[in-house]
Amino acid sequence: NSSDITILISIRGGKLNTADNNGFEEVMLSLLATNIQKEISKKQQEAIILGNPVIDYECKIKTGTITIECAPYDFASCCQAISDAIIYGDILPSQADRAVSNCQYKKRLENGSVTRQMLYAVMKELYNKSDYVKIFDAKEEILTKTTYQKILEAYPQLLDASRYSIILTGLVPQNAREVLQQTMGVLTPTNTKQNLLTVQSKLKGNTKKTVKLTHTFLTDIP
């Protein structure tokens, strides 16, 4: 019953897509969301987009999501902005550096929390020697070997149409399918293989686990 429209872009992959380089998928999702924001801001300056769309993103275990909430009269222009950001978006070194630093700092905060440390202990018991343990790690620093070149090389993976699902809610116009075909519909599937293994949890009966917790004083983190 909303008077606005929410465009949810679901991108198959999530944290498991780059489990061997924990945090990298979230960095790429963040950069894509930033590029969409830049395109929308550009169209606002040109008076093509009249309202103030709200953009958010989240990287989950097997999917990443970007949501754009906009007014109905901006729907077609926002779709064009999303398409332009995916296809033509460039990544500046400073933009990449900021995305990596933000992800690293977020991970340090998680590592210092009791909840994360206990969750990591549980995941090691349930999914030992699987990628699930890697993405729930509560000890190691992440993205320490990430370079600007690696980010540039990974960006084309976001051009694979087979990774995308689009969900529209709210006051969706009748020509929404046509608008999407003319904008994001120009992307083509490349069927990039992704490491999204499903594993069965293993837990012995009456398992008792003792966890030695550590506390990180956040004022010690620059």
Side-chain angles (χ1 to χ4, degrees):
N1 295 323
S2 172
S3 59
D4 287 333
I5 299 173
T6 295
I7 308 166
L8 186 146
I9 306 169
S10 177
I11 307 172
R12 179 170 51 87
K15 295 180 180 179
L16 282 177
N17 189 40
T18 56
D20 291 329
N21 189 9
N22 194 7
F24 192 74
E25 184 79 3
E26 185 166 354
V27 167
M28 299 308 298
L29 195 68
S30 149
L31 290 169
L32 179 56
T34 300
N35 276 349
I36 292 173
Q37 178 66 75
K38 287 196 298 185
E39 284 295 329
I40 287 178
S41 297
K42 178 182 176 183
K43 291 187 184 304
Q44 284 177 312
Q45 293 171 3
E46 297 170 350
I48 296 173
I49 292 178
L50 304 177
N52 293 296
V54 178
I55 301 168
D56 197 12
Y57 74 92
E58 183 178 7
C59 191
K60 302 179 182 180
I61 295 176
K62 292 186 177 182
T63 59
T65 59
I66 297 177
T67 56
I68 302 95
E69 184 178 345
C70 65
Y73 49 77
D74 283 331
F75 173 72
S77 298
C78 281
C79 287
Q80 188 63 60
I82 295 167
S83 178
D84 291 347
I86 295 173
I87 299 170
Y88 305 113
D90 58 342
I91 301 172
L92 300 175
S94 58
Q95 183 183 340
D97 184 61
R98 189 180 305 113
V100 171
S101 297
N102 286 345
C103 198
Q104 287 176 322
Y105 186 70
K106 178 183 175 183
K107 179 66 161 52
R108 290 178 190 134
L109 297 183
E110 289 177 348
N111 287 356
S113 71
V114 170
T115 303
R116 186 69 175 197
Q117 292 172 48
M118 295 185 72
L119 178 59
Y120 177 48
V122 170
M123 298 305 287
K124 285 198 296 184
E125 289 292 326
L126 293 176
Y127 303 104
N128 190 27
K129 297 181 181 179
S130 77
D131 285 345
Y132 284 90
V133 177
K134 297 176 184 177
I135 65 174
F136 283 98
D137 168 76
K139 293 182 179 180
E140 302 297 328
E141 286 279 326
I142 61 172
L143 304 170
T144 55
K145 296 182 180 180
T146 299
T147 64
Y148 178 57
Q149 187 61 36
K150 282 185 178 180
I151 290 175
L152 293 182
E153 291 171 356
Y155 196 79
Q157 295 179 16
L158 294 172
L159 297 174
D160 182 4
S162 65
R163 296 184 63 187
Y164 289 88
S165 298
I166 300 172
I167 300 170
L168 304 178
T169 61
L171 201 62
V172 180
Q174 292 184 346
N175 68 335
R177 184 182 295 273
E178 180 183 344
V179 170
L180 290 173
Q181 287 286 4
Q182 293 173 351
T183 54
M184 285 174 275
V186 300
L187 291 173
T188 57
T190 57
N191 297 315
T192 304
K193 291 185 178 180
Q194 292 166 286
N195 183 21
L196 300 179
L197 299 177
T198 300
V199 295
Q200 297 295 322
S201 61
K202 296 179 181 180
L203 187 64
K204 299 176 182 178
N206 300 318
T207 297
K208 183 178 180 179
K209 181 73 175 178
T210 301
V211 182
K212 181 180 180 181
L213 301 173
T214 59
H215 180 71
T216 300
F217 290 92
L218 303 183
T219 51
D220 292 340
I221 301 178

